[in-house]
Amino acid sequence: MGMCLPCLGGAADDVVTTPDPETRRRHLAEAAEKRQKETTYRGVKNPEAVERKRKKQEEIEKQAVTTSASGGGGLKWQVG
């Protein structure tokens, strides 16, 4: 019967210590950020290039809005 239970002298080595809550929270946040990045750029070979294109497109749209608001657009009505 004594063969089933290990010696209690070595039982302290089997205890798993958990990190403090702040460290655990930080690790979980880092893992969540990593998963979010991976899902955002899934299937994209060069995520930096995608980011540059997105920023360039935003700049073009911003310039178009600024130009159309100040210049009144390029269309003129003519009655002939």
Side-chain angles (χ1 to χ4, degrees):
M1 245 175 114
M3 301 287 286
C4 296
L5 300 174
C7 178
L8 295 178
D13 296 337
D14 296 338
V15 176
V16 176
T17 58
T18 57
D20 62 302
E22 184 61 34
T23 305
R24 183 176 169 89
R25 230 177 272 125
R26 188 176 68 243
H27 286 293
L28 289 173
E30 289 171 358
E33 288 176 9
K34 183 179 176 185
R35 282 192 307 272
Q36 188 175 15
K37 269 188 173 179
E38 288 174 353
T39 57
T40 301
Y41 294 116
R42 176 168 286 155
V44 177
K45 292 182 182 180
N46 191 354
E48 292 84 18
V50 172
E51 197 66 29
R52 283 193 307 269
K53 285 181 183 179
R54 186 183 62 80
K55 288 186 187 254
K56 187 175 181 181
Q57 184 65 29
E58 287 176 359
E59 287 294 322
I60 291 170
E61 290 174 1
K62 188 176 179 182
Q63 286 178 349
V65 169
T66 305
T67 304
S68 65
S70 65
L75 300 177
K76 296 181 182 179
W77 285 93
Q78 293 182 347
V79 179

